[in-house]
C-alpha cells in the first residue's frame, strides 16, 4: 500500500463512520493492556495468501515500554495527538555487548530466549503528529512514547543524538493520547515478533504489555463516539 492509497482508504472508512449507521459488530474491539484501545476490521482478498487489516489505535498512555517489532508491515496515519517514534537495531559486530531477547508465542505467552550477542543501538527519532504518515517494516524494532512518559525520559538520557529535537517535541505534542489509522497486511502464517531489552525483565511483564481483553458494549459505544469526534475535526 502507498500513501495515496492509505489516504483513500481512510477517507472511505471516515465516510462510513460519519455518514452511515454502522452496527457495533462491524468492527472488532479490544484493549491492549494499559497502552491502547483498538478498533479494527479485516478485509479478506479472494485467492490470496493474506488479507488487509484496518485499525484505529487509540493510545491511552502512548508508551509501549519494550523495544519490539510487529507481525506485519504497516502504514500509520496520525489523526490526532502524537507521540515520539524511535527506531532501534541490534549491532551484532560488538562482541563484548549483549542484550536480552524475548519471543512472543501468541497474545498471552512470551518466551525468554536468553542473553544474545550484540548491543541495542538507537537509529532514528521522529515525531508522529496529526497529519503525519509513516511505513514500518515488520523487521524494524521500535518504541513509541510521549514526553510525559517515564520511557521518554529514560530514552532521552540514553540518546544524546536527539538533543536537537528536544526543544521542539514538547511544543508539538501537547497531550498524552493519540489516535492513529493503520493499514497493514495480515499473513496467513503469523510472523514471529521479538522484544529486546538491555536489562533482564520478568517475562510476565512483557506478556502483560501485549495482553488483550474484550471491550464492554458501553466501552465500544464510547470508542465509536471518540472516533466520530476525531474524524469530524
Amino acid at each position: 500500500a502507498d500513501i495515496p492509497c492509505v489516504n483513500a482508504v481512510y477517507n472511505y472508512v471516515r465516510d462510513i463512520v460519519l455518514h452511515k449507521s454502522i452496527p457495533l459488530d462491524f468492527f472488532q474491539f479490544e484493549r491492549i493492556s494499559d497502552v491502547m484501545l483498538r478498533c479494527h476490521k479485516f478485509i479478506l482478498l479472494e485467492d490470496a495468501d493474506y488479507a488487509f487489516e484496518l485499525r484505529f489505535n487509540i493510545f491511552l498512555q502512548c508508551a509501549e515500554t519494550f523495544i519490539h517489532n510487529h507481525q506485519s508491515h504497516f502504514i500509520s496515519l496520525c489523526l490526532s495527538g502524537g507521540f515520539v517514534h524511535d527506531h532501534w537495531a541490534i549491532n551484532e559486530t560488538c562482541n563484548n555487548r549483549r542484550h536480552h531477547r524475548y519471543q512472543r508465542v501468541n497474545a498471552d505467552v512470551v518466551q525468554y530466549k536468553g542473553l544474545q550477542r550484540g548491543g541495542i543501538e538507537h537509529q532514528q527519532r521522529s515525531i508522529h503528529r496529526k497529519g503525519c504518515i509513516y511505513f514500518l517494516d515488520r523487521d524494524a524494532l521500535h518504541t513509541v512514547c510521549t514526553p510525559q512518559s517515564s520511557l521518554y525520559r529514560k530514552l532521552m538520557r540514553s540518546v544524546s543524538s536527539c538533543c536537537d529535537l528536544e526543544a521542539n517535541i514538547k511544543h508539538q505534542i501537547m497531550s498524552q493520547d493519540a489516535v492513529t489509522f493503520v493499514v497493514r497486511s495480515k499473513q496467513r502464517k503469523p510472523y514471529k515478533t521479538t522484544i529486546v531489552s538491555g536489562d533482564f525483565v520478568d517475562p510476565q511483564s512483557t506478556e502483560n504489555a501485549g495482553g488483550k481483553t474484550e471491550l464492554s458494549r458501553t466501552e465500544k459505544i464510547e470508542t465509536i463516539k471518540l472516533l466520530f469526534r476525531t474524524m469530524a475535526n
Side-chain angles (χ1 to χ4, degrees):
D2 54 20
I3 291 176
C5 177
V6 171
N7 281 320
V9 172
Y10 169 67
N11 288 331
Y12 172 75
V13 176
R14 179 178 183 272
D15 183 66
I16 292 176
V17 173
L18 293 182
H19 304 296
K20 297 181 181 179
S21 178
I22 59 174
L24 280 181
D25 60 1
F26 179 82
F27 290 111
Q28 292 178 299
F29 299 83
E30 58 194 12
R31 180 187 299 273
I32 312 298
S33 187
D34 293 327
V35 176
M36 72 173 76
L37 301 177
R38 177 173 292 154
C39 172
H40 58 120
K41 176 77 173 178
F42 291 103
I43 300 178
L44 302 177
L45 301 180
E46 295 183 2
D47 301 322
D49 292 329
Y50 60 89
F52 283 103
E53 182 184 7
L54 308 179
R55 288 181 172 182
F56 288 97
N57 292 330
I58 303 166
F59 289 87
L60 304 173
Q61 297 185 28
C62 206
E64 298 185 6
T65 311
F66 303 102
I67 299 173
H68 64 284
N69 70 325
H70 287 266
Q71 288 186 342
S72 304
H73 315 302
F74 67 83
I75 295 179
S76 174
L77 169 66
C78 186
L79 304 179
S80 69
F83 52 74
V84 179
H85 188 210
D86 287 287
H87 287 257
W88 306 85
I90 305 299
N91 185 349
E92 296 183 351
T93 64
C94 299
N95 294 325
N96 61 336
R97 297 177 63 189
R98 298 290 186 270
H99 67 278
H100 297 274
R101 183 169 298 185
Y102 308 79
Q103 192 168 83
R104 186 170 293 285
V105 178
N106 55 48
D108 302 312
V109 178
V110 171
Q111 291 181 345
Y112 177 56
K113 308 302 286 188
L115 201 60
Q116 308 288 321
R117 187 181 72 177
I120 301 173
E121 295 186 352
H122 186 265
Q123 299 292 300
Q124 183 180 13
R125 167 163 287 179
S126 60
I127 304 171
H128 194 43
R129 59 185 182 275
K130 184 176 180 179
C132 291
I133 191 168
Y134 70 78
F135 168 82
L136 192 74
D137 186 276
R138 67 182 184 179
D139 287 316
L141 295 170
H142 80 139
T143 52
V144 301
C145 61
T146 61
Q148 292 84 357
S149 69
S150 58
L151 174 62
Y152 172 82
R153 293 190 292 272
K154 179 180 178 181
L155 294 179
M156 283 306 301
R157 289 196 297 269
S158 63
V159 184
S160 58
S161 62
C162 295
C163 292
D164 57 328
L165 280 177
E166 171 70 6
N168 296 324
I169 288 175
K170 292 184 179 180
H171 292 291
Q172 298 184 57
I173 303 175
M174 303 303 294
S175 63
Q176 183 94 345
D177 58 353
V179 178
T180 62
F181 175 69
V182 172
V183 177
R184 74 171 203 149
S185 59
K186 182 70 174 178
Q187 309 295 328
R188 291 188 184 275
K189 185 178 180 180
Y191 189 74
K192 293 181 179 179
T193 57
T194 299
I195 296 171
V196 297
S197 175
D199 302 315
F200 176 78
V201 292
D202 184 351
Q204 181 66 38
S205 299
T206 62
E207 290 173 5
N208 291 341
K212 300 178 181 179
T213 57
E214 289 288 328
L215 269 63
S216 67
R217 177 178 174 81
T218 300
E219 288 175 322
K220 292 178 181 179
I221 293 173
E222 291 303 314
T223 300
I224 289 294
K225 287 181 179 178
L226 189 152
L227 290 177
F228 186 94
R229 293 193 299 270
T230 300
M231 294 180 184
N233 291 332

